[in-house]
Amino acid sequence: MTGTQRRRAVVTGANSGIGYFTAAELARAGDSVVLACRNEQKAAAAAEEIRAEIPNADVESAKLDLASLDSVREFADSQSGSLDLLINNAGVMMPPRRLETADGFELQFGTNHLGHFALTALLMPRLLEAAEPRVVTVSSLAHRQRRQLDFDDPQEDRSYDPHRAYARSKLANLMFALELDRRARAAGSPLVSNAAHPGFSATGLYGSDDGLGSNPVLRKLAPLGARVVSQSAKAGALPTLYAANNGGPGSYTGPRALMETRGKPGAAKISRVAQNQKLAAELWDMSEELTGVTFTFN
């Protein structure tokens, strides 16, 4: 951010957890923030909570279901004027049963990656109206668990494992952020794309109906375990905020302490497969084909 210039920002999944604290701190700094969330009531309540805490906070809520490409298009169409900052934060984590998006995609890959891929492409005209546009995509330490992407089975029809699928979606998030930066720079665009991860942070994903919380036993135990061994969601938002304010093009930010699980933000480790530009280009082409969107940088 240049000086004290006010920005207009969109934060996905901002009704709780890391997204909420990211949106709140952006509003505290004077940015105008759209809380783009699947649940409109929770989004509106979160916006009210931010206004109650931060006098004169400029926040609004909007409907965005990343598991539906129709919803993504409707949200993008509803936005007007320049957009300085897009934070691709929302996600689902490790549903123990097989779930699909409205478009038939595996839920985690469809929501965490494809939904954000389409959203970024459709908001690109708004971003390119800004003087210093920036996109931050939230990945995870879990991205290191995947050594390859299987383009022959994008929906994991042959075998589905929730942990493997989550790691794949987070690897795709990071590869997308890095490839978006490469393509923007090649096109001579002012767009900055980078990524961040929250380390091990206690968020609502552990109790979500679309994640571990869909199992009644894990719904009770996972949040308790997360509180014991993890940092707060507010602390987990710090890498995203750093990336939004100070992160360089193509950078990856995460907590610095205890193998990147907690602490102050700094440079994070990018796995070898995430740096594979040929694989990233294949992922990009497949994502365009599956979502029906294309990117323009002018």
Side-chain angles (χ1 to χ4, degrees):
M1 183 167 58
T2 302
T4 58
Q5 180 181 352
R6 184 188 186 93
R7 297 178 299 186
R8 182 167 181 270
V10 168
V11 182
T12 68
N15 61 283
S16 64
I18 291 165
Y20 172 84
F21 288 108
T22 298
E25 292 308 310
L26 291 174
R28 194 187 306 277
D31 293 333
S32 174
V33 186
V34 178
L35 281 62
C37 309
R38 180 179 58 178
N39 188 306
E40 292 180 273
Q41 290 73 31
K42 290 182 179 180
E48 282 298 319
E49 187 175 343
I50 291 173
R51 293 189 196 102
E53 178 186 350
I54 305 168
N56 302 317
D58 184 359
V59 294
E60 61 179 282
S61 59
K63 169 75 172 181
L64 171 63
D65 184 356
L66 289 159
S68 165
L69 291 176
D70 284 344
S71 178
V72 172
R73 292 187 182 96
E74 288 172 6
F75 174 82
D77 288 343
S78 73
Q79 301 301 298
S80 60
S82 64
L83 177 64
D84 301 274
L85 174 63
L86 170 62
I87 297 186
N88 293 322
N89 164 82
V92 294
M93 185 175 73
M94 302 182 208
R97 63 183 183 276
R98 179 62 187 268
L99 296 173
E100 293 183 344
T101 70
D103 305 283
F105 305 132
E106 186 277 312
L107 183 65
Q108 297 181 90
F109 188 69
T111 302
N112 299 355
H113 169 61
L114 292 176
H116 281 125
F117 181 92
L119 177 67
T120 306
L122 294 169
L123 287 178
M124 192 58 66
R126 306 279 76 79
L127 286 159
L128 294 180
E129 289 183 17
E132 299 178 2
R134 180 176 292 250
V135 177
V136 178
T137 302
V138 179
S139 182
S140 167
L141 284 169
H143 94 270
R144 300 183 197 168
Q145 298 171 15
R146 286 299 292 251
R147 303 296 177 88
Q148 188 56 272
L149 289 176
D150 188 351
F151 294 108
D152 295 326
D153 187 24
Q155 309 307 334
E156 302 210 357
D157 290 323
R158 290 195 291 267
S159 64
Y160 174 73
D161 175 83
H163 296 81
R164 185 178 66 237
Y166 178 70
R168 180 183 70 155
S169 73
K170 293 286 102 180
L171 173 59
N173 281 152
L174 181 53
M175 295 180 76
F176 163 61
L178 299 177
E179 181 68 8
L180 177 59
D181 174 68
R182 286 190 288 266
R183 293 186 180 225
R185 285 190 284 112
S189 171
L191 181 80
V192 169
S193 171
N194 59 30
H197 78 81
F200 191 15
S201 303
T203 73
L205 285 175
Y206 293 100
S208 169
D209 290 335
D210 291 332
L212 295 176
S214 59
N215 181 304
V217 175
L218 292 177
R219 174 182 284 274
K220 295 180 179 180
L221 296 181
L224 177 61
R227 286 195 296 271
V228 171
V229 300
S230 65
Q231 64 181 357
S232 68
K234 186 174 184 178
L238 293 178
T240 301
L241 290 165
Y242 183 92
N245 294 322
N246 306 108
S251 62
Y252 185 39
T253 304
R256 298 179 63 184
L258 296 176
M259 295 184 292
E260 298 186 20
T261 60
R262 62 180 63 214
K264 295 180 180 180
K269 180 180 178 181
I270 302 174
S271 71
R272 181 175 298 179
V273 66
Q275 299 177 61
N276 186 319
Q277 295 186 29
K278 180 177 182 297
L279 196 63
E282 292 181 47
L283 173 64
W284 187 282
D285 291 343
M286 183 184 74
S287 300
E288 285 192 333
E289 181 179 351
L290 291 174
T291 61
V293 304
T294 55
F295 280 73
T296 57
F297 295 98
N298 50 43

